[in-house]
Amino acid sequence: MKRFWIINLVLFQACWLCAAFLPSALSAPLMVTLCTIHFWLSPSRREDAIILLLVPLGLVADAAQISLGVFSAGDSFFPFWLVMMWVMFTISLNHSLGWLNNCSVTILILIGAIGGTSSYWGGMKAGVIEPLVASHIVVLSLVTVWAIVVPTFVHLRRQLMQSAQQPNPLS
């Protein structure tokens, strides 16, 4: 499916809207449904499943900021909607965010610093993320984390996809 990136983009944005504007009891099943639709329609299920190995890195990035008291993401320590956002972000690297694979490290740092921070800032404005320190500290933390996350994820995605293409010597 040549134009699957459009479907992925719509599903990714729909997940963000669910997380930002719906109560957890409603957003969680909707986000799982949207992710299921992604995998059902995806022309690259295997690659999408492989890239999910990166999700724990994103969870650690957010868990560190939550633990350090930069922001809170709800009543529970780590809400399910945030896990699902990392799932959708990660698999989007194979589709709607696939263009990042052709960017230099400098551009990836800038995109991460601006794009990732903007997404979280939108989450704060929507009320699903609560800043726990001064705004400039939250922004500095997010800029730093996302300037590292995006190039790291793109690099690791390349490594995972190269490994997936190599024949298994044990078979």
Side-chain angles (χ1 to χ4, degrees), residues 3-171:
R3 304 270 184 216
F4 183 73
W5 70 269
I6 297 169
I7 294 169
N8 170 261
L9 177 65
V10 169
L11 294 171
F12 182 32
Q13 294 307 310
C15 274
W16 192 93
L17 291 170
C18 285
F21 298 109
L22 296 176
S24 283
L26 186 56
S27 69
L30 279 173
M31 292 174 82
V32 169
T33 300
L34 293 168
C35 188
T36 302
I37 290 169
H38 169 93
F39 274 96
W40 181 55
L41 296 175
S42 178
S44 56
R45 289 181 191 110
R46 181 176 181 268
E47 291 82 2
D48 293 347
I50 290 169
I51 201 170
L52 290 176
L53 292 170
L54 300 180
V55 169
L57 296 176
L59 301 178
V60 167
D62 275 347
Q65 291 184 95
I66 292 168
S67 292
L68 292 171
V70 175
F71 62 81
S72 170
D75 295 335
S76 64
F77 173 71
F78 209 92
F80 184 73
W81 64 263
L82 196 50
V83 174
M84 291 306 299
M85 284 309 305
W86 278 105
V87 168
M88 289 304 290
F89 168 75
T90 303
I91 58 178
S92 293
L93 292 172
N94 284 342
H95 303 286
S96 61
L97 296 176
W99 58 274
L100 292 173
N101 296 302
N102 300 318
C103 294
S104 69
V105 172
T106 303
I107 297 298
L108 292 172
I109 289 169
L110 288 172
I111 290 168
I114 295 165
T117 302
S118 298
S119 182
Y120 278 67
W121 191 260
M124 283 183 229
K125 292 300 179 187
V128 294
I129 296 174
E130 179 186 350
L132 300 177
V133 293
S135 294
H136 69 281
I137 294 172
V138 174
V139 169
L140 181 61
S141 176
L142 290 169
V143 164
T144 303
V145 168
W146 279 94
I148 295 167
V149 163
V150 170
T152 301
F153 270 51
V154 170
H155 172 75
L156 292 174
R157 182 218 167 264
R158 288 181 193 138
Q159 300 294 349
L160 285 170
M161 294 305 117
Q162 285 176 355
S163 297
Q165 299 300 322
Q166 296 176 355
N168 185 348
L170 300 176
S171 55

